Amino acid sequence: MLALQLIIKQWDKSERTAAHILQRANSPNCFAIKFPPAFYFMNKAILIDQHDGNLRHKEIKAEQLTCGKIKLDRFELDVENSKLGYFDKLNPDNTAKILGSLNKQSIQCKYSHRYSVFEGDFYYWLYEEVTLNAIYIDEFNEHTFINNQPTLIFKDLKDS
């Protein structure tokens, strides 16, 4: 089974101080899996566990594509070939860059971005750092991501 964990850290413009940056850096990049909010996708072939930021709920939906692939936010998972891809927003041909294979290794992919939000009659910037932990597991263990450090770590921080 492919296990995926998404962690979304959010902050606004007032939380860009050195103390806030340190606090975010010291917050966990993996958690134990709990049902709910974790759920199964594609007839229990994929487990998805999402941990939201504290400002706005951001539901990331899995979309089944052709050829045994799924799209999850900026990520493309080739389920049949156990490969993880990433859609770089600056890539003009809109194809996923293959980050690596999930066979016998776990991958952690992280990106940051910002977007404007209209709330309470005004606009403000909302900043996010999204982390995806991905691993193939033979059997469910709620501590999968805590017990397995990523073999490959990818960071795309161009949007920040």
Side-chain angles (χ1 to χ4, degrees):
M1 162 185 5
L2 175 60
L4 307 172
Q5 185 174 72
L6 285 152
I7 297 125
I8 303 168
K9 299 175 187 178
Q10 298 175 324
W11 62 97
D12 62 28
K13 191 173 183 176
S14 70
E15 298 172 305
R16 296 186 312 159
T17 67
H20 287 105
I21 292 168
L22 183 60
Q23 181 182 15
R24 282 191 297 277
N26 289 328
S27 65
N29 283 322
C30 63
F31 293 92
I33 300 168
K34 302 285 185 207
F35 285 94
F39 64 94
Y40 289 107
F41 185 70
M42 288 181 61
N43 296 321
K44 293 193 173 187
I46 301 171
L47 166 72
I48 300 174
D49 182 33
Q50 180 176 329
H51 297 265
D52 285 331
N54 59 344
L55 297 177
R56 298 175 64 89
H57 175 67
K58 178 179 180 174
E59 187 172 341
I60 296 178
K61 296 188 188 279
E63 177 184 352
Q64 192 167 353
L65 304 174
T66 58
C67 307
K69 295 179 180 179
I70 67 162
K71 184 175 182 195
L72 186 68
D73 193 43
R74 291 190 189 178
F75 307 103
E76 180 180 83
L77 294 116
D78 184 336
V79 179
E80 293 173 13
N81 297 308
S82 306
K83 294 191 188 245
L84 175 64
Y86 174 74
F87 289 100
D88 183 339
K89 289 187 88 172
L90 302 177
N91 184 352
D93 65 0
N94 201 28
T95 58
K97 173 186 174 187
I98 301 300
L99 301 180
S101 172
L102 291 166
N103 282 335
K104 300 181 182 171
Q105 70 176 359
S106 63
I107 297 176
Q108 183 179 82
C109 182
K110 185 180 296 193
Y111 72 89
S112 295
H113 71 121
R114 71 178 184 168
Y115 55 93
S116 65
V117 174
F118 182 74
E119 195 172 80
D121 293 334
F122 67 94
Y123 285 96
Y124 66 93
W125 286 113
L126 184 63
Y127 299 84
E128 288 184 342
E129 178 184 274
V130 178
T131 302
L132 173 75
N133 295 310
I135 190 171
Y136 264 96
I137 54 176
D138 293 325
E139 95 184 33
F140 174 75
N141 177 336
E142 71 181 58
H143 299 289
T144 293
F145 294 109
I146 294 170
N147 295 338
N148 293 288
Q149 294 298 313
T151 309
L152 176 65
I153 298 175
F154 173 80
K155 294 181 182 179
D156 183 0
L157 304 174
K158 289 183 265 192
D159 288 350
S160 350

